[in-house]
Amino acid sequence: MNLKLAIQKSGRLHEDSIKLLNDCGIAVKSGNNQLRAVAENFPLEVYFLRDDDIPQYVEDGVAHIGIVGENVLFEKDKEAEIVEMLGFGKCRLSIAVKKTDAYSSPSFLEGKKIATSYPVLTQRFLDDNHIKAEIHEISGSVELAPGIGLADAVCDLVSSGSTLFMNGLQEVQSILKSQAVLVRNKSLNDEQQKILDQLVFRIRAVRKAKNNKYVLLNAPNSSLQQIIDLLPGMKSPTVLPLANGEWSSVHSVLPEDEFWEKIEALRKAGAQGILVVPIEKMII
């Protein structure tokens, strides 16, 4: 039996989804406009779909699981349960107005026209702030709407903000932070859930590895305890004696977001010969 996974056929999440599967040791070939592929070495069948359709396919059970952006999942409001945050495809859904507009609060939008591809999320934001505004649903090129007089503001996905800037707009209010998530149908049987658990185990091992670095260094024994205190590791650092009896070799794992700060502190404590090695998989 194969677990059926729906991923984006093309677009910003497609390549990262395929890479994640490959990093998990699951070989899936995509290309030539194919709509379906079977993994060579894992009980997984992959469907390549429009991202907007993925929540519906998962809710209906046509696909058992899917990889989709939170923005699409919440906009479609389907019965698909989030299993795992995947950490890629990060963006935000934001309100943007003309650069010349003085936006100070959501009340600026009262009575205005807002162009968006996300009418459900936009309306929810307006309702939460007790704002009455007119929503114009547009399927693409939303940022053009204020410049051609179709709308006073837009609610659109933002990554760098460069597209808004080039169209004379300024981002003024973020209403949703989004990233790719793994979702599941709520009625998986025991066998399907078992395969999903195996997949999630691999995904977590890959993600944990990417967020950490393996560090090896030489430490003078006179500063060994100070250096150990800086390197908690997964449990505790590994300490091995060197041929020079006054020095030890210390091995540990550092989180990516603490890396440079810790390295500088280690140098000040007397560590030398610091080597940093990427981790391919990390099982805890």
Side-chain angles (χ1 to χ4, degrees), residues 93-96 114-118 121-122 142 153-157 175:
L93 185 63
S94 294
I95 300 292
I114 305 172
T116 185
S117 299
Y118 296 89
L121 291 173
T122 303
V142 173
V154 303
C155 183
D156 200 15
L157 287 185
I175 69 173

Side-chain angles (χ1 to χ4, degrees), residues 194-265:
K194 182 178 179 180
I195 299 171
L196 175 57
D197 290 343
Q198 293 172 354
L199 176 60
V200 171
F201 175 79
R202 295 191 186 193
I203 289 173
R204 289 176 178 171
V206 168
R207 291 204 61 216
K208 192 71 176 177
K210 289 182 178 178
N211 292 333
N212 290 274
K213 301 293 185 183
Y214 191 71
V215 178
L216 304 85
L217 58 86
N218 294 331
N221 290 340
S222 58
S223 303
L224 186 57
Q225 189 57 53
Q226 181 183 358
I227 288 172
I228 288 174
D229 290 342
L230 291 168
L231 290 168
M234 293 171 64
K235 295 294 184 182
S236 65
T238 300
V239 179
L240 301 171
L242 294 178
N244 182 334
E246 296 181 356
W247 288 76
S248 296
S249 176
V250 181
H251 300 205
S252 190
V253 173
L254 275 179
E256 182 75 41
D257 57 359
E258 299 177 11
F259 178 75
W260 288 110
E261 180 181 324
K262 290 286 187 180
I263 290 296
E264 186 61 30

